Structure formats: C-alpha cells, structure tokens
Amino acid sequence: MCRHLAFLGPEEPLGGLLVDPPHSLYRQSWAPRRQRYGTVNADGFGVGWYAEGDPVPARYRRAGPIWGDQSFADLARVVRTTGLLAAVRDATVAGADGEAAAAPFAAGTWLFSHNGAVAGWPRSLASLVPSLPPVELLSLEARSDSAFVWALVLNRLRGGDGEGQALADTVLEVARAAPGSRLNLLLTNGEMIAATAWGDTVWYLSEPGRRTVVASEPYDDDPHWQEVPDRTLLTASRTDVLLTPLKDPDDTATDATDTTETPVHHTASDDKASAPPKEPIA
C-alpha cells in the first residue's frame, strides 16, 4: 500500500514532479484520491534519480513522512533530473526496518517500487525461497514483502530477462503462490519504464518524443492521463507506451505475457490508446 511515480523526460527539478502539482506525490502521502487500500502514506518515502552522465541513480530515503522532512524540500527545489522513481509508503505490517524498507530499491542502473501487498506474507512465499541464490536472501535490504519481490525481479534481470518480462514473470509467480496479492510493480533504468497493474491503479501521461510519466494516480487533472487496465504490463520510453495483457495466474505456461497477440501502442498519432482485450490473454 503506497503511491509511486516514475518519469522520463527533459530535465526538470524533482519538485516539479513530486511537490508542485496540485495532486502531487507529496500530497498523496496524506490525501490520495484513488488509493483503494489504506489512507495515509506516512511510513517512509524515497526518491531515486539519474544525473547527467552517470547511469547509476542516487537515492534519498527516510523512515518518516515526506511532509516532515525539510531536507527533502531543499533537494526537491534544486536537484534536476531526466529520470526518476519515487514512492511514499504505507507499510503492510509494522516492522523495524525503517528507511531500508522505503522504496525505491536499487541495484546497478535499476530502481524499483512495489505498491500493494503479498497475501499471507511471509509464509505464502516460502516455496519461492529456493529460487533465489543464498547470497541474494542474505543481502535483502529489509524483511518485507516488497524487498523479497524485488529480489525475485532482480534475479531475473541478472539472468538476462528484459525489464518487462522480469516484472511480468515475477507477478505471475507470486500471484500463483499467494492468490489475492496486489502486485503493482514499477521499474526503471533511466531510459525506460516497466510497470504492472495488478490489484490497484496505474495511470500514464505520455507526450511522445518528450516525456512519459507512470504513476499510481494522476498528479493533476490533465485530460491526457490514461488508466492502465488491471492485469496489464506497461513498458514505456520517452517516445512510446506499450500495454500488454497479463495471463491468468492459473495458466500453466511459463511466460506471463502472450507475444502471439498484438499489444496496444500509444504513439504521437494516438489521442487515446485503445483498451486491450477485456479478458486476459491465456
């Protein structure tokens, strides 16, 4: 349960994306408009951003609410970026991990966030532990469902999967092990964004050739915001948004997405992307 946002586009201050808009992520920490689970996101926050000439992102994370951190207010005013991922957190269960449990999680060029909750955590995912190298388990930043899901995604990325496929396959795997989980995942490497809509809201705002924003909910009332259908994978760059329906978790195939169907593209010629098929592709 949280709100998160990723951005790719021309350089602008962090505050122009996270603080200044009328329904910004900053405001969503206490007054979200479309949050289905929980009401206040005061259990930590974080932002990761990319600086020109450096592919490895910087991070600023804290255990408390974003509105109580004056240092962040200064950073947001002066730090500029062409890509970021930020989140405000409502903890699934109480814990002592504090700042370490706040997204974004990071490795190499990647930043990651999870909006949702794994049903039955931690017992429900015990069967997935053998799929991870022991060093990955021992290196978890936090003892939370989100940190474990990130480890599953990262293991696939390091194994050579693309960002979208890594998210889709992880969602399918976790949904099978823990039915009823909410698995809205968000991932960026500073050049592309991948996200899943699985149990909660995801929206995107695209100005093809210029900027792309993917968020739990719109930060303003721009009519060009588009909602992503549930059980959908989104992959995006600065020029294109691609929506691909995800398979039902009971499907026995190994891949979470069906590449035999034509996904939905949103490019500069589209006023509004048409919806994917109403039923998930099996």
Side-chain angles (χ1 to χ4, degrees):
M1 290 91 70
C2 71
R3 303 280 84 182
H4 55 199
L5 176 150
F7 158 81
L8 299 173
E11 187 179 72
E12 65 178 282
L14 302 184
L17 295 158
L18 305 179
V19 179
D20 298 341
H23 304 288
S24 66
L25 193 70
Y26 183 87
R27 184 173 180 82
Q28 290 169 31
S29 63
W30 75 85
R33 295 190 293 172
R34 290 179 169 86
Q35 188 162 331
R36 297 173 179 172
Y37 305 92
T39 56
V40 177
N41 301 290
D43 297 318
F45 74 94
V47 56
W49 68 94
Y50 298 85
E52 184 177 357
D54 190 341
V56 179
R59 283 189 299 169
Y60 183 85
R61 299 185 297 166
R62 289 293 182 266
I66 191 171
W67 67 77
D69 192 311
Q70 292 302 309
S71 293
F72 175 72
D74 281 343
L75 283 175
R77 180 173 52 83
V78 300
V79 174
R80 305 177 69 87
T81 185
T82 59
L84 66 77
L85 192 157
V88 290
R89 181 173 183 249
D90 179 13
T92 303
V93 295
D97 293 310
E99 180 180 309
F105 298 100
T109 62
W110 292 300
L111 294 168
F112 171 85
S113 178
H114 168 212
N115 169 28
V118 173
W121 169 263
R123 294 183 180 275
S124 58
L125 297 193
S127 62
L128 304 186
V129 169
S131 68
L132 291 175
V135 68
E136 296 297 330
L137 289 171
L138 295 174
S139 302
L140 287 179
E141 282 192 76
R143 295 161 294 174
S144 66
D145 53 353
S146 296
F148 186 80
V149 171
W150 167 228
L152 295 172
V153 172
L154 183 58
N155 189 49
R156 286 187 163 92
L157 291 170
R158 287 173 170 165
D161 284 358
E163 285 83 357
Q165 195 66 57
L167 290 196
D169 286 346
T170 298
V171 165
L172 183 62
E173 181 180 43
V174 173
R176 283 174 172 163
S181 297
R182 301 189 300 278
L183 302 166
N184 282 28
L185 310 184
L186 186 58
L187 178 71
T188 186
N189 62 7
E191 297 296 329
M192 62 82 64
I193 298 169
T196 56
W198 193 280
D200 210 327
T201 59
V202 178
W203 294 70
Y204 69 92
L205 179 65
S206 178
E207 299 175 44
R210 185 171 182 268
R211 66 189 315 219
T212 299
V213 182
V214 180
S216 297
E217 59 183 76
Y219 55 53
D220 60 20
D221 294 322
D222 188 323
H224 293 97
W225 282 99
Q226 301 291 321
E227 185 169 13
V228 179
D230 195 39
R231 299 198 174 186
T232 297
L233 170 71
L234 176 151
T235 52
S237 65
R238 290 175 174 82
T239 60
D240 193 23
V241 175
L242 175 65
L243 303 180
T244 307
L246 293 172
K247 291 183 176 182
D248 189 280
D250 293 330
D251 195 293
T252 57
T254 56
D255 289 334
T257 56
D258 190 328
T259 57
T260 63
E261 296 289 334
T262 302
V264 175
H265 286 270
H266 183 190
T267 64
S269 62
D270 297 322
D271 290 327
K272 182 176 181 180
S274 57
K278 292 183 179 181
E279 294 297 326
I281 297 173

